[in-house]
Amino acid sequence: MKIAHRRRALLAGICALGLLAPLAWTQSRRVYAIRNAKIYTLAGPPIENGTVIVRDGKIAAVGRNVAVPSGAQVINASGLQVYPGLFDSVSLLGLTEIGQVAATVDTTELGDYKPQLLAAVAIHPASEHIPVARANGITHAISAPRGGVISGRASAIHLDGWTVEEMRLEPVVAMVLEWPSLATGSFDFATFTMRRRPFSEVQREYEQKVAELRDWLVRARHYRQALQQGSPAKFERDLKLEALVPVVEGELPVLVLANNERDIRNAIQFCEEEKLKMILGSSAEAWRVKDLLKEKKIPVILRPTQSLPVREDDPYDKPYAAPGELHAAGVKIAFATFNSSDSRTLPYEAAQAVPFGLPWEEALKAITIYPAQMFGLDDRLGTIEMGKIANLVVTDGDPLEITTQFRYVFIQGQPVSTDNRHRQLYEKYRARP
Amino acid sequence: MKRAQRFWPWLAMLALGLSPAQAQDAGTLVIRNATILTVTNGTIRNGSILIRDGKIAAVGRNVRVPEGATVIDATGQYVMPGIIDCHSHIAVDGGVNEGSVAVSSMVAIEDVLDPTDVDIYRDLAGGVTTANVLHGSANPIGGLNAVIKLRWGADARGLLFEGAPPGIKFALGENPKRSNFTPQPGTPRRYPATRMGVMDVIRQAFTEAREYQKRWAEYRRRVAAGEQNLIPPRRDLKLEPLVEILEGKRLVHAHSYRADEILQLIRLAEEFGFKIATFQHVLEGYKVAKEIAAHGAGASTFSDWWAYKVEAYDAIPYNAALMTQRGVVVSINSDSAEEARHLNQEAAKAMKWGGLSETEALKLVTLNPAKQLGIADRVGSIEVGKDADLVLYDKHPLSVYAVVQKVLIDGHVYFDRAQDIARRAELEKEKKELTEKLQRSGEREQPSRPGGRRPGGPPRTGEGVQEDGEVRP
């Protein structure tokens, strides 16, 4: 059934694109050979005229002289290029459909401390955003809950599947922490005005929140001790503290969302004191802290490059140049959209940094292998290497360039449809007499 | 306090490159050895552009360099017409929405232009030379627009695009209904709250405007007939712009999303005998492209934003291409100081989604918005006689890797990337000195504004709330 649907959808997509004659996919064919392509493995130099063999969802072989197994479905990718699938490592995919309709938005639960929440629980596999992102080469993503101080746990998903279980990549990849900001100005959407508050008031609130946060971690450590010392039956199970145990053990990364320099420095100091494994996210001013980030080996997931400078007197191109500066300083970076409907623009956020100093291959790695490394998924994804999950894209050019078309998208070793709501509406209204 | 606040924009202006005086030297200028994307007459390789008195005097492969002319060697570079952003909210001091009333045609953006807004420079550095600065979308009939050139360093009057036809903002759908906005506690909801009401407000207003127009026509007739001691009708500043619309003297830029509301406004305009100049956003324009084309309206849309509200759920990135193919004059706009910095890239998306040609894509951000704003005789292409509003890129501007090197308006260099970079260290030093001086004098440093937003003012970029807290139109 699954295959039949995929086959139908794939045929529809391919026919619509008019890219090649429909191939005879059959249920038994679980082996694919992508031939004659230039393969950017990102684990070594590109392979000209190479072949990738995909078997049972994994990359079975890659190289110049690879034998095509009998029975393999062959895709002649002559003149085309193969890359690892793109990874939107902080997104809202599956958690929101229409921004202004609360009924369709499951990104932000009430309350300030919600470590027990898990994004995968609310991911809507039928979200129209998922095939839209997929059509632009995004094969997997992390959906991260938002709001409060401890927002909940982020989940990594493949962008294909009938159910969230079929989309499963790694249910728990990070604890999301929205670092309490010391910023005095905030935009109030209820009244549509900027609100400015006295620093003393903001500071009092900030200190209280940080103390509360620390208290949660202290309690999680106690809980862990109790767990280790005896059977859980002896005390009341606490789902919140239980979720925090891998955090205080330094096992589960904490994705800390902080934007301005002061907040970033405070967050780094806190995570160091608490011995947390920190990934800095959404960091507009990370470049101001690059040496410290390098020293503490903290990776950074950058907010969209196509942003305005934070401060009025920042150079006009600071958001474009910052990724290159961070890379040059030795900081590991990734790009992410922090969004759902815009997830498809991920390649352009990476591309925008290239002419301003980030080497092209680094930009590509920052949306494939680097974020995989940050979340401990690099043994499974991020490069084209034998044994890894076959999330691949086949393009007619540089995947970071706008006019490039994604000809085939493979997720978990299966060619998936690049059809989506937008193409369907296009076809429907193009046919209007 | 007030003075300290005003200090920062000027410092930023200094920090960002050109002082106003630098943009003043005119004369004869030649751009040589460039790949020239004329938009109207194909691509000229190894071409030159002669600029005299702010106008393009010659274009081609064999342009003689007059003696004494300043020469810009553009070897390896691309020149295209300055980008025209048909929907912008930059350079506005404070709010863009007079949303307290359903018809706010008595207010004008021209009255609140802020030449110190740093977003002017930022967008200029993205190749934008002309912007249609519009009122917000809170009301069915909004305020009057101002078409500006991004002459960074000029005063408010100096920004105005002289001779550009005047325009006005209309708005349909969710925003004028205020359905996505919570009124402040204690304030009643404002009429209209439905699409029926929105159209009713517009029809009522034009019904009044017709009566008003008649009163004045009658008065003028009687004056012309020689009657003495007549009392003129009382002037109505709200209705005057609507009379101008009825007389074809003011362009209507109508914020719209859904196909049905686009069609309703076309029919209403036809009922009153006027024309919609542009549908703005017009995200479902592809559904009624032939009706838009038949009416003769332009369509100014986004490249690929969608799903931020219900009326944007059927938005598709093929919109610009499909409407173009159905004969509509289409532009791609920013509605955002940020998006305006890469409108060339947004145009390229119409090649990917819908298969427009390079020239068709370039037109989306040059000639077509010029036509929509009634200024195509002045700007929008590289042709002899047009204003020398030009952008130099290091790569083809439809590539994501192209970076703006220079921007000229009226033949003056208003942005020069090399110069901007060269001055950064010096200005950093100057900033430090000034900051220290300020601190010594006992005043507290004013915090910089985040993202170019004004304290106390609404966001600069439309007024929708995106799922990530970003602001969308």
Side-chain angles (χ1 to χ4, degrees):
Chain A
M1 175 61 191
K2 178 180 166 185
I3 300 297
H5 168 84
R6 274 190 174 138
R7 181 183 155 197
R8 246 194 339 271
L10 179 77
L11 286 177
I14 288 171
C15 293
L17 286 162
L19 295 175
L20 74 173
L23 300 166
W25 308 104
T26 71
Q27 225 168 336
S28 61
R29 280 187 168 151
R30 301 278 298 176
V31 184
Y32 301 91
I34 305 167
R35 299 193 64 188
N36 305 321
K38 185 166 182 180
I39 302 162
Y40 289 83
T41 66
L42 302 190
I47 301 165
E48 300 277 355
N49 273 318
T51 300
V52 185
I53 307 293
V54 174
R55 187 197 298 274
D56 297 330
K58 299 277 174 62
I59 296 163
V62 57
R64 260 198 96 124
N65 301 303
V66 171
V68 175
S70 66
Q73 184 67 55
V74 175
I75 292 170
N76 181 8
S78 178
L80 302 179
Q81 304 171 2
V82 186
Y83 295 87
L86 309 183
F87 181 15
D88 192 356
S89 55
V90 185
S91 81
L92 297 171
L93 281 163
L95 296 178
T96 176
E97 197 65 23
I98 301 177
Q100 285 190 335
V101 181
T104 70
V105 180
D106 290 302
T107 57
T108 309
E109 189 46 89
L110 300 175
D112 281 341
Y113 303 94
K114 313 160 277 188
Q116 77 284 13
L117 298 182
L118 181 63
V121 168
I123 286 170
H124 184 42
S127 167
E128 300 283 1
H129 299 211
I130 292 171
V132 165
R134 203 163 64 196
N136 225 29
I138 321 296
T139 55
H140 48 293
I142 289 174
S143 294
R146 301 294 294 270
V149 179
I150 300 177
S151 313
R153 292 170 294 171
S155 306
I157 51 169
H158 293 288
L159 296 193
D160 181 53
W162 291 91
T163 66
V164 77
E165 289 165 359
E166 291 183 6
M167 298 166 78
R168 177 193 172 104
L169 170 51
E170 188 61 57
V172 183
V173 289
M175 185 67 73
V176 181
L177 181 60
E178 288 205 8
W179 187 253
S181 181
L182 270 169
T184 52
S186 64
F187 191 75
D188 180 6
F189 284 106
T191 56
F192 243 72
T193 48
M194 279 296 287
R195 272 181 70 205
R196 281 207 180 277
R197 298 189 304 156
F199 183 75
S200 55
E201 186 187 318
V202 175
Q203 192 179 25
R204 202 163 48 239
E205 245 180 58
Y206 166 80
E207 280 165 2
Q208 190 195 327
K209 280 192 171 162
V210 173
E212 283 169 2
L213 179 59
R214 215 181 280 278
D215 188 51
W216 276 101
L217 298 175
V218 168
R219 281 191 281 153
R221 285 200 183 87
H222 291 161
Y223 189 82
R224 178 173 169 267
Q225 269 181 342
L227 270 177
Q228 283 172 338
Q229 283 164 8
S231 129
K234 287 184 189 161
F235 60 94
E236 212 175 313
R237 194 172 171 200
D238 187 315
L239 297 178
K240 292 194 175 203
L241 296 178
E242 198 172 293
L244 282 170
V245 167
V247 172
V248 295
E249 285 176 338
E251 291 290 315
L252 186 67
V254 180
L255 175 64
V256 183
L257 305 182
N259 265 316
N260 69 47
E261 182 182 355
R262 181 163 51 190
D263 294 339
I264 295 169
R265 287 188 189 279
N266 288 341
I268 292 173
Q269 195 190 335
F270 179 88
C271 288
E272 193 174 29
E273 285 166 6
E274 297 293 332
K275 299 188 176 59
L276 307 181
K277 189 174 174 187
M278 176 176 175
I279 300 170
L280 180 59
S282 179
S283 297
E285 292 202 317
W287 59 275
R288 291 187 185 272
V289 195
K290 59 189 177 216
D291 294 332
L292 185 62
L293 291 165
K294 156 76 177 161
E295 183 199 321
K296 306 287 181 197
K297 295 191 175 63
I298 297 167
V300 182
I301 301 177
L302 293 160
R303 69 168 184 164
T305 318
Q306 293 187 329
S307 297
L308 289 173
V310 174
R311 305 185 193 187
E312 192 167 39
D313 46 358
D314 283 339
Y316 82 94
D317 60 358
K318 186 45 86 177
Y320 307 155
E325 290 173 16
L326 285 160
H327 166 70
V331 180
K332 178 155 287 179
I333 57 164
F335 297 97
T337 65
F338 295 79
N339 194 287
S340 178
S341 58
D342 285 347
S343 184
R344 68 171 155 205
T345 64
L346 179 68
Y348 318 135
E349 302 299 350
Q352 186 70 56
V354 172
F356 293 85
L358 184 69
W360 176 81
E361 192 170 316
E362 290 296 318
L364 200 55
K365 286 180 174 174
I367 50 174
T368 52
I369 182 66
Y370 292 160
Q373 289 167 350
M374 293 178 195
F375 293 98
L377 301 168
D378 52 313
D379 56 335
R380 282 179 271 173
L381 284 160
T383 58
I384 304 180
E385 289 180 278
M386 207 172 83
K388 286 199 177 181
I389 299 170
N391 281 13
L392 305 168
V393 293
V394 183
T395 69
D396 61 4
D398 174 1
L400 305 188
E401 186 61 273
I402 288 165
T403 45
T404 296
Q405 300 284 358
F406 290 82
R407 297 290 187 88
Y408 302 93
V409 177
F410 278 79
I411 296 179
Q412 300 190 74
Q414 289 294 305
V416 296
S417 169
T418 54
D419 196 21
N420 58 56
R421 176 181 181 82
H422 296 172
R423 175 161 282 279
Q424 287 154 14
L425 282 166
Y426 172 58
E427 295 299 345
K428 177 176 172 182
Y429 285 92
R430 195 160 67 141
R432 187 189 162 197
Chain B
M1 173 68 185
K2 182 80 183 162
R3 273 183 64 179
Q5 267 181 13
R6 304 307 290 176
F7 165 76
W8 284 103
W10 285 105
L11 178 61
M13 188 181 285
L14 288 170
L16 289 164
L18 294 164
S19 67
Q22 271 178 298
Q24 294 309 312
D25 46 21
T28 306
L29 188 72
V30 178
I31 300 170
R32 287 182 66 185
N33 302 324
T35 301
I36 302 168
L37 308 167
T38 66
V39 173
T40 42
N41 292 305
T43 300
I44 303 166
R45 298 197 189 279
N46 281 317
S48 297
I49 302 170
L50 173 65
I51 297 159
R52 199 174 273 139
D53 300 326
K55 301 276 182 188
I56 296 167
V59 186
R61 294 190 69 140
N62 302 307
V63 173
R64 211 179 53 80
V65 180
E67 202 154 325
T70 309
V71 175
I72 295 175
D73 181 25
T75 303
Q77 298 191 353
Y78 290 77
V79 186
M80 69 175 270
I83 290 172
I84 298 168
D85 185 358
C86 200
H87 193 129
S88 173
H89 299 292
I90 63 167
V92 178
D93 186 21
V96 296
N97 260 322
E98 182 48 67
S100 55
V101 286
V103 179
S104 67
S105 46
M106 71 299 272
V107 306
I109 292 292
E110 191 179 326
D111 291 336
V112 290
L113 277 180
D114 173 9
T116 67
D117 180 3
V118 68
D119 287 338
I120 298 172
Y121 185 78
R122 290 166 172 170
D123 290 1
L124 178 71
V128 179
T129 53
T130 294
N132 180 24
V133 184
L134 288 165
H135 183 272
S137 52
N139 5 44
I141 296 180
L144 312 182
N145 72 335
V147 180
I148 63 167
K149 285 205 184 188
L150 275 62
R151 300 183 183 111
W152 179 242
D155 61 12
R157 189 165 295 272
L159 290 178
L160 292 172
F161 192 121
E162 3 15 72
I168 189 170
K169 179 77 169 279
F170 280 20
L172 312 177
E174 293 176 23
N175 289 11
K177 278 169 42 155
R178 310 311 285 155
S179 52
N180 298 324
F181 306 91
T182 320
Q184 295 199 37
T187 55
R189 290 188 71 185
R190 191 204 69 191
Y191 184 89
T194 67
R195 284 182 170 81
M196 295 182 288
V198 169
M199 222 49 82
D200 169 58
V201 166
I202 299 172
R203 181 171 277 108
Q204 288 281 358
F206 278 99
T207 304
E208 284 171 40
R210 257 190 186 166
E211 293 301 320
Y212 180 68
Q213 185 186 28
K214 268 190 219 153
R215 283 201 296 278
W216 273 97
E218 175 66 8
Y219 168 74
R220 291 194 184 103
R221 188 189 62 74
R222 290 170 67 182
V223 169
E227 283 191 50
Q228 301 288 315
N229 302 325
L230 288 170
I231 299 168
R234 185 189 176 120
R235 270 188 79 185
D236 187 322
L237 299 181
K238 185 175 85 174
L239 295 179
E240 270 182 17
L242 304 188
V243 171
E244 288 167 4
I245 294 167
L246 290 170
E247 291 172 349
K249 295 173 187 162
R250 186 172 287 279
L251 303 178
V252 175
H253 303 292
H255 160 119
S256 53
Y257 280 79
R258 250 168 49 180
D260 55 302
E261 68 195 16
I262 293 164
L263 195 57
Q264 289 301 331
L265 186 62
I266 286 175
R267 298 301 174 237
L268 187 145
E270 286 167 354
E271 175 188 327
F272 283 90
F274 68 91
K275 208 155 142 182
I276 305 300
T278 68
F279 283 98
Q280 297 282 332
H281 313 325
V282 61
L283 294 185
E284 288 188 16
Y286 67 94
K287 296 183 179 177
V288 284
K290 71 175 180 185
E291 284 81 359
I292 296 173
H295 179 73
S300 190
T301 189
F302 302 132
S303 58
D304 61 0
W305 291 352
W306 71 292
Y308 44 95
K309 50 182 170 175
V310 173
E311 62 188 5
Y313 198 50
D314 274 8
I316 60 174
Y318 306 90
N319 192 32
L322 223 166
M323 289 193 291
T324 300
Q325 285 148 5
R326 292 287 166 106
V328 180
V329 174
V330 180
S331 65
I332 287 183
N333 67 51
S334 76
D335 198 4
S336 141
E338 192 286 311
E339 192 85 351
R341 281 149 52 96
H342 43 85
L343 279 171
N344 55 314
Q345 294 180 22
E346 303 314 305
K349 288 176 182 171
M351 294 168 67
K352 176 175 182 136
W353 311 110
L356 290 193
S357 70
E358 278 188 11
T359 302
E360 284 172 323
L362 285 174
K363 279 184 184 175
L364 295 174
V365 293
T366 55
L367 188 63
N368 289 358
K371 285 180 181 170
Q372 292 173 344
L373 294 170
I375 50 177
D377 56 330
R378 291 274 305 277
V379 291
S381 62
I382 301 180
E383 287 180 81
V384 171
K386 283 200 175 181
D387 296 2
D389 293 5
L390 304 165
V391 193
L392 279 70
Y393 287 89
D394 58 349
K395 295 196 175 64
H396 195 294
L398 293 170
S399 165
V400 73
Y401 302 120
V403 177
V404 173
Q405 302 299 314
K406 283 188 176 64
V407 181
L408 284 74
I409 298 175
D410 306 322
H412 302 293
V413 177
Y414 275 87
F415 171 76
D416 184 329
R417 177 162 165 80
Q419 204 178 357
D420 181 290
I421 292 167
R423 297 194 63 195
R424 285 179 194 179
E426 176 200 331
L427 288 155
E428 196 57 41
K429 187 166 153 268
E430 189 182 351
K431 181 189 161 193
K432 201 163 157 258
E433 285 166 10
L434 287 168
T435 308
E436 280 164 6
K437 197 173 164 188
L438 202 66
Q439 281 164 347
R440 273 201 306 278
S441 73
E443 277 189 69
R444 273 185 58 85
E445 182 183 348
Q446 290 293 317
S448 290
R449 305 184 215 144
R453 281 178 194 164
R454 302 310 165 91
R460 314 297 299 280
T461 55
E463 51 169 343
V465 184
Q466 180 71 346
E467 60 243 22
D468 55 1
E470 288 271 309
V471 175
R472 286 282 167 92

